[in-house]
Amino acid sequence: MKKSVFLGTLSLAALAGGLASAATLDDVKARGVLNCGVSTGVNGFSAPDASGEWQGFDVAVCRAVAAAVLADPKKVKFVSTTGQTRFTALASGEIDILSRNSTWTFSRDVDLKFTFAGVNYYDGQGFMVSKALGVSSAKELDGATVCIQTGTTTELNLADYFKSNNMSYEPVPIETNAEAQQQYLAGACDVYTTDASGLAATRATFADPENHIVLPEIISKEPLGPMVRHGDDQWSDIVMWTLNALIAAEEYGVTSANIEELAKGTNNPEINRLLGTEGDLGAMFGLDKEWGKRAIQAGGNYGEIFAANIGESTPIGIARGLNAQWTQGGLLYSPPFR
Amino acid sequence: MVATSEPPKASFRLSMLIYDTRYRSLTIQVVFLMLFMAGAAWLIDNTIQNLRALGKDFNYGFLSVRAGYDINQMLVQYSNDSSHARAMLVGLLNTLFVAFLACITATVIGVMAGILRLSKNWVVARLMTVYIEAFRNVPLLLWIIVIFAIMTESMPPPNAFRGDDAASSMLLFDSVAITNRGVYVPEPLFGRSLGNIDIGIFLISVDLLAIIAVITLSVMANRALLRNALRVQEATGLRPTTWWKTILILIAPLVALLVALGFHFGYPELRGFNFVGGTHMRNSLVALWLALSVYTGAFIAENVRSGIQAISHGQSEAAFALGLRPGRTMSLVVLPQAMRVIIPPLISQYLNITKNTSLAIAVGYMDLRATLGGITLNQTGRELEAMLLMMLIYLIISLMISSAMNLYNRSVRLKER
């Protein structure tokens, strides 16, 4: 009898613990720091700079969320995760948001119980080879040794691609981007495959980027975006609409240069609602009026973040392509702020 | 009719559970058991609650789903259309394969280093001391990574073997190629192969079975020959010459079988991006195997040394007095007795090797952890199920090795009558 009362109390405590962790927003506010899962270092997307500060395109999403929620883009604790540890870290609550070029797939969304808060980069898997190999198409890679980051969707795409083209290959499974780079440069594999953006970022760090080419074939769709846990809709809404705010800001021409000016009020009600001078959208998900303004101020709008981290003026030099606004022929399309 | 001499029965009081030495140990054990069960129940309950909070269930259905990924080293047939259970089997066999190789080489290295460390040759003994101390006191992971880095960074890529004035050339009459992608060695092939038997889970080569059968029969025939020689020697005092008969019995049937099967070597040759043909020992396998062997070999060497030193010096003096040479003294007198001391710690070294194979994660060797605990876990998101299954498998392997070695230990220990 006593034992069952004891166990009942314990299970109640465990249940209470489970429920308490459901409200991520309250946890983050109480903690005063946003725990953000990033990669172990992909230049331009998430990598520490010379002074140890995390910089990059994926990092900027976390900074914008921290600015919206905690009013300070610096209040982020970055947790580097590998392809294998990232989902466990998110599911266990070690991180509040995973912003680590992770592909939105059906099973990750439905079976792994994660929610993708939109797409911040439309990508596809590509191949990088040394020019010395004289290969100009992925169709010529029969029998090649391929370095691949293990535990990613690229592993499955690769198997499918070679199978459908009746080619064989030798996979060399590798844990992190840095190791893959080392193996590739040492010639232990002929080909390095990952998302095309990752290839461009990796190639930019080589001593001789001109001797390596990314093959024209893009063999998959890889919509990359920030992820949160299932079951906390308030939190997933905050992350999703913070990302939408960055995208909408570019569409409406709100930049970090003119945001103070525009925040005084404009004759465009959409901008006014976004920046909090009209209505109170923030209160609907537990934030204040100026959340959107702060999120945009953290690193600029989507276009500014893109240009500063991975755009054509950076060593990585990625063109906007699919990641242009819908008005420019791209896929970026924020639902209205209303 | 109550006997008056019987001491009055003390009524049982609750405090006796603590103060009465008859009950105290029982009380402590019961309390401890209840605490332990409560702790276990709490862990299980917590897990169930948290899984429910995450909306996850607990089932092993994912094992029958198509795996979808490729594995580079396979001892049994596997393709990306196979199931996750099959991928797990491939990983398990890879784990056992590298553990088996490492156990053999570690034992050979360990026994040699252990004996040489006791050598009267000062240089040899000191060199062995240096080997043992250097390898035993540096973490295994570092040795694995060092060997892997040496293989990938300093060996020539397959491209270097190309062309008329190639930068690198193959060794041993163009039969072995050492590249930064691994070592290619000739593979045994059979021109008139007997085919394979499908036993459901994997195929067994009939050629291999035939070879094993012939070798077993030859060894048994040789034993009979030697027994007969001994009988003749005991009866007449003269030992018949057996050495050429032994060689004939051991080698002739095997050679005959190999010729009948059309045995030949398949040599690796450079074609396309890589060497084709031959057996490809990948860098990950080589690094893991070598590192496990030299690292554990250092521990085994110390076991062997302690075992030999445990044998009284009088034993070898007695053997010398009978006129035995030092080599025979070691193999006939000292080592058989030393085995009793050596084997129990050797069991735990074998277990260590098997468990340490999971360090394959550092070099991307596709072992059980990399398939079931790595890619499968990641692609299906079944962390708890995969981890528990993996722990269970490692536990079973370890217990099996342990019981097999214990059986062997029982057979060689001192027979007391």
Side-chain angles (χ1 to χ4, degrees):
Chain A
M1 173 63 199
K2 267 192 177 161
K3 195 174 150 192
S4 63
V5 169
F6 176 58
L7 287 182
T9 321
L10 276 176
S11 50
L12 265 184
L15 190 63
L19 287 178
S21 68
T24 314
L25 177 63
D26 299 336
D27 284 357
V28 172
K29 278 182 173 167
R31 203 188 303 131
V33 168
L34 176 74
N35 289 336
C36 168
V38 289
S39 72
T40 50
V42 177
N43 226 17
F45 285 86
S46 49
D49 64 9
S51 59
E53 290 261 321
W54 283 87
Q55 302 289 352
F57 187 71
D58 287 334
V59 167
V61 174
C62 284
R63 294 223 185 271
V65 173
V69 174
L70 300 169
D72 185 352
K74 295 280 174 206
K75 285 191 175 163
V76 187
K77 187 182 147 215
F78 290 100
V79 178
S80 56
T81 57
T82 67
Q84 298 219 13
T85 61
R86 53 186 166 173
F87 299 133
T88 320
L90 183 58
S92 68
E94 184 188 350
I95 52 180
D96 304 311
I97 165 173
L98 179 69
S99 182
R100 186 202 179 280
N101 37 36
S102 297
T103 306
W104 187 347
T105 68
F106 180 92
S107 60
R108 283 176 183 176
D109 194 333
V110 177
D111 194 35
L112 298 194
K113 311 287 181 200
F114 295 127
T115 299
F116 280 84
V119 174
N120 71 337
Y121 192 94
Y122 289 94
D123 209 344
Q125 183 175 346
F127 298 100
M128 176 163 62
V129 294
S130 160
K131 267 188 187 161
L133 275 186
V135 171
S136 60
S137 158
K139 297 263 164 64
E140 297 164 27
L141 291 178
D142 193 12
T145 302
V146 183
C147 275
I148 180 157
Q149 280 190 58
T150 188
T152 61
T153 49
T154 54
E155 205 160 27
L156 306 182
N157 296 332
L158 183 71
D160 291 350
Y161 181 78
F162 275 81
K163 189 188 170 93
S164 61
N165 286 294
N166 271 330
M167 300 191 296
S168 66
Y169 69 106
E170 156 92 18
V172 178
I174 283 163
E175 194 76 2
T176 67
N177 192 50
E179 277 174 64
Q181 183 174 336
Q182 183 202 346
Q183 294 275 308
Y184 171 76
L185 287 178
C189 40
D190 302 303
V191 189
Y192 179 35
T193 182
T194 185
D195 297 341
S197 62
L199 290 179
T202 307
R203 181 167 159 256
T205 62
F206 288 176
D208 56 341
E210 67 281 0
N211 290 335
H212 300 269
I213 53 167
V214 176
L215 297 177
E217 283 87 354
I218 297 293
I219 65 168
S220 68
K221 286 189 289 186
E222 308 282 343
L224 311 179
M227 309 165 70
V228 296
R229 283 179 294 279
H230 253 200
D232 188 352
D233 292 343
Q234 181 193 31
W235 182 245
S236 63
D237 286 344
I238 289 175
V239 176
M240 176 189 295
W241 285 96
T242 303
L243 180 58
N244 282 337
L246 300 180
I247 295 172
E250 188 188 17
E251 186 184 343
Y252 301 135
V254 181
T255 66
S256 44
N258 66 11
I259 190 166
E260 287 296 346
E261 184 75 17
L262 296 175
K264 290 181 185 130
T266 65
N267 51 14
N268 182 342
E270 185 91 2
I271 296 180
N272 292 347
R273 282 191 294 271
L274 176 64
L275 300 182
T277 45
E278 184 191 317
D280 193 359
L281 294 181
M284 296 180 192
F285 54 26
L287 298 179
D288 61 1
K289 278 186 178 188
E290 298 201 319
W291 66 275
K293 181 185 166 200
R294 287 196 306 269
I296 299 164
Q297 275 174 327
N301 64 33
Y302 182 91
E304 288 176 275
I305 294 172
F306 195 102
N309 290 303
I310 53 178
E312 291 187 282
S313 60
T314 64
I316 295 162
I318 299 178
R320 285 297 287 270
L322 287 178
N323 297 294
Q325 291 286 337
W326 63 285
T327 49
Q328 312 285 323
L331 294 175
L332 292 185
Y333 185 101
S334 163
F337 280 76
R338 184 173 291 281
Chain B
M1 288 254 292
V2 178
T4 49
S5 60
E6 205 172 87
K9 258 192 183 164
S11 62
F12 180 78
R13 294 183 311 277
L14 215 55
S15 61
M16 284 169 67
L17 283 180
I18 297 174
Y19 295 115
D20 192 321
T21 47
R22 282 174 299 172
Y23 303 119
R24 190 190 287 152
S25 75
L26 201 65
T27 314
I28 293 174
Q29 289 183 42
V30 167
V31 167
F32 183 80
L33 190 67
M34 281 173 71
L35 284 177
F36 176 78
M37 282 166 60
W42 179 73
L43 274 181
I44 293 170
D45 191 61
N46 201 355
T47 310
I48 294 172
Q49 297 289 354
N50 278 313
L51 279 179
R52 193 176 297 157
L54 285 170
K56 288 188 168 188
D57 58 347
F58 185 88
N59 79 61
Y60 279 100
F62 69 94
L63 284 177
S64 58
V65 175
R66 175 179 182 263
Y69 59 90
D70 287 301
I71 298 176
N72 51 17
Q73 179 181 308
M74 320 171 260
L75 298 179
V76 292
Q77 303 80 20
Y78 171 86
S79 77
N80 54 42
D81 285 328
S82 307
S83 66
H84 280 295
R86 185 86 188 169
M88 178 183 86
L89 177 72
V90 173
L92 174 62
L93 289 176
N94 283 345
T95 291
L96 294 177
F97 179 62
V98 73
F100 177 72
L101 290 180
C103 281
I104 292 177
T105 40
T107 311
V108 172
I109 294 174
V111 170
M112 287 193 346
I115 293 176
L116 288 179
R117 198 178 176 189
L118 295 171
S119 163
K120 289 197 182 66
N121 185 324
W122 188 86
V123 177
V124 169
R126 286 300 155 280
L127 273 180
M128 286 303 125
T129 310
V130 169
Y131 156 68
I132 289 169
E133 295 304 333
F135 278 85
R136 210 167 52 139
N137 294 311
V138 173
L140 173 57
L141 183 60
L142 296 188
W143 285 119
I144 295 177
I145 293 176
V146 163
I147 296 177
F148 187 68
I150 291 173
M151 291 291 295
T152 44
E153 297 287 340
S154 57
M155 297 302 160
N159 246 334
F161 292 83
R162 213 181 295 276
D164 289 331
D165 52 341
S168 309
S169 57
M170 293 165 71
L171 308 174
L172 297 176
F173 310 106
D174 273 2
S175 62
V176 175
I178 300 178
T179 74
N180 64 354
R181 293 174 190 178
V183 179
Y184 295 83
V185 295
E187 61 180 337
L189 292 174
F190 299 100
R192 292 178 288 276
S193 174
L194 298 174
N196 297 312
I197 312 177
D198 192 347
I199 61 160
I201 308 174
F202 48 81
L203 304 174
I204 292 185
S205 159
V206 181
D207 308 316
L208 189 67
L209 290 180
I211 290 173
I212 292 173
V214 166
I215 291 178
T216 317
L217 287 176
S218 309
V219 169
M220 280 162 62
N222 186 45
R223 283 232 184 110
L225 175 78
L226 292 180
R227 258 202 312 276
N228 186 45
L230 198 65
R231 210 175 51 238
V232 172
Q233 185 180 15
E234 278 169 358
T236 65
L238 285 175
R239 190 176 175 83
T241 322
T242 56
W243 63 268
W244 60 270
K245 290 181 198 160
T246 298
I247 292 176
L248 201 65
I249 290 176
L250 287 183
I251 292 182
L254 187 61
V255 170
L257 177 69
L258 290 181
V259 169
L261 289 175
F263 177 83
H264 62 279
F265 279 114
Y267 294 101
E269 59 175 309
L270 192 58
R271 206 183 306 148
F273 291 98
N274 285 310
F275 279 91
V276 180
T279 301
H280 181 194
M281 296 196 292
R282 288 171 183 78
N283 275 344
S284 48
L285 171 69
V286 174
L288 195 62
W289 174 25
L290 284 186
L292 279 171
S293 305
V294 290
Y295 176 81
T296 318
F299 286 89
I300 293 179
E302 284 296 86
N303 292 343
V304 170
R305 184 178 66 99
S306 70
I308 292 172
Q309 285 183 332
I311 305 306
S312 146
H313 196 50
Q315 295 277 333
S316 34
E317 280 174 346
F320 290 147
L322 288 172
L324 289 181
R325 279 164 280 137
R328 306 221 82 187
T329 307
M330 183 58 86
S331 62
L332 291 178
V333 178
V334 178
L335 272 185
Q337 299 185 72
M339 287 305 255
R340 285 183 288 125
V341 185
I342 294 172
I343 285 178
L346 195 62
I347 300 174
S348 68
Q349 293 306 337
Y350 286 174
L351 294 180
N352 278 345
I353 287 182
T354 313
K355 287 178 291 181
N356 283 342
T357 54
S358 58
L359 286 171
I361 187 176
V363 287
Y365 179 73
M366 297 302 283
D367 69 336
L368 181 66
R369 198 223 57 85
T371 56
L372 174 64
I375 304 176
T376 293
L377 182 154
N378 215 279
Q379 304 292 5
T380 60
R382 300 277 171 185
E383 295 96 351
L384 193 66
E385 290 92 332
M387 280 296 162
L388 286 179
L389 184 58
M390 197 163 58
M391 285 159 73
L392 182 70
I393 292 175
Y394 275 114
L395 182 69
I396 292 174
I397 300 174
S398 294
L399 289 180
M400 275 168 36
I401 294 175
S402 178
S403 51
M405 290 299 289
N406 277 330
L407 280 181
Y408 178 63
N409 188 33
R410 206 166 296 156
S411 73
V412 298
R413 78 177 169 195
L414 193 61
K415 306 282 190 300
E416 290 176 349
R417 296 189 175 88

